[in-house]
Amino acid sequence: MKILVINGPNLNMLGIREPDIYGKQDFKELELYIREAAKSLGHDVTLFQSNHEGEIVDIIQSAYGVFDGIVINPAAYTHTSVAILDALKAVGIPTVEVHLSDISSREEFRKFSYVSMIAKKTVYGLGFEGYKKALEYFCK
Ligand code: DQA
């Protein structure tokens, strides 16, 4: 399947950013991991990262009629962005949400996710492997 993988703000800082929470591997390693996982599952994957909410809305809109599925780690926008939720609702593309960390056991504000309202599945707390689990959803 044609899958768009979207990573939100500050995920490009992996490796530097709070390694106790997000691990020591950097963003390039994450992208490589996702590409290899997608290949092993037979998916055609496109990767996108942005620190800007509007750019994430734009890429979701442009996925309409092009991609069969979306895997998204909206990062901090998870907890704030009605715009990203609305964009996902607008295009109606099946979406799986991923978080590297266990958002259920961190600060209170991380427990709520707008994207979870539309996501077919949410995977959290598994580090890089969460992206593979998300891609596996599209093998059904
Ligand atoms: C995150 C969790 C979010 O709460 C945080 O703002 C992030 C990353 C994760 O992958 O664990 O930037 O989405």
Side-chain angles (χ1 to χ4, degrees):
M1 292 178 94
K2 270 179 79 73
I3 312 291
L4 174 63
V5 178
I6 302 171
N7 280 300
N10 300 305
L11 290 166
N12 57 312
M13 294 294 282
L14 283 180
I16 297 168
R17 175 190 187 199
E18 300 178 273
D20 293 350
I21 296 173
Y22 299 113
K24 293 193 174 106
Q25 288 176 286
D26 67 18
F27 187 65
K28 273 199 171 12
E29 288 174 276
L30 176 61
E31 289 198 315
L32 187 66
Y33 177 89
I34 294 169
R35 283 189 199 289
E36 283 176 357
K39 198 175 168 192
S40 73
L41 296 167
H43 294 315
D44 174 359
V45 82
T46 297
L47 304 185
F48 179 81
Q49 191 275 330
S50 177
N51 294 323
H52 305 279
E53 187 176 21
E55 284 184 4
I56 295 171
V57 169
D58 287 345
I59 195 85
I60 292 168
Q61 289 184 5
S62 69
Y64 181 73
V66 179
F67 288 94
D68 307 306
I70 294 175
V71 170
I72 185 167
N73 182 346
Y77 291 137
T78 305
H79 319 295
T80 62
S81 183
V82 177
I84 290 174
L85 171 65
D86 283 350
L88 291 168
K89 281 184 173 174
V91 296
I93 300 171
T95 297
V96 177
E97 176 185 6
V98 180
H99 301 283
L100 293 160
S101 66
D102 179 1
I103 51 171
S104 71
S105 68
R106 297 181 62 194
E107 301 96 322
E108 264 322 294
F109 70 87
R110 294 191 203 273
K111 291 182 181 158
F112 177 77
S113 163
Y114 282 101
V115 170
S116 287
M117 292 177 177
I118 185 104
K120 299 281 183 200
K121 181 183 164 103
T122 300
V123 186
Y124 56 87
L126 299 179
F128 284 15
E129 199 193 332
Y131 289 82
K132 187 167 190 189
K133 292 260 180 278
L135 289 166
E136 280 168 1
Y137 173 85
F138 296 104
C139 294
K140 284 185 202 160

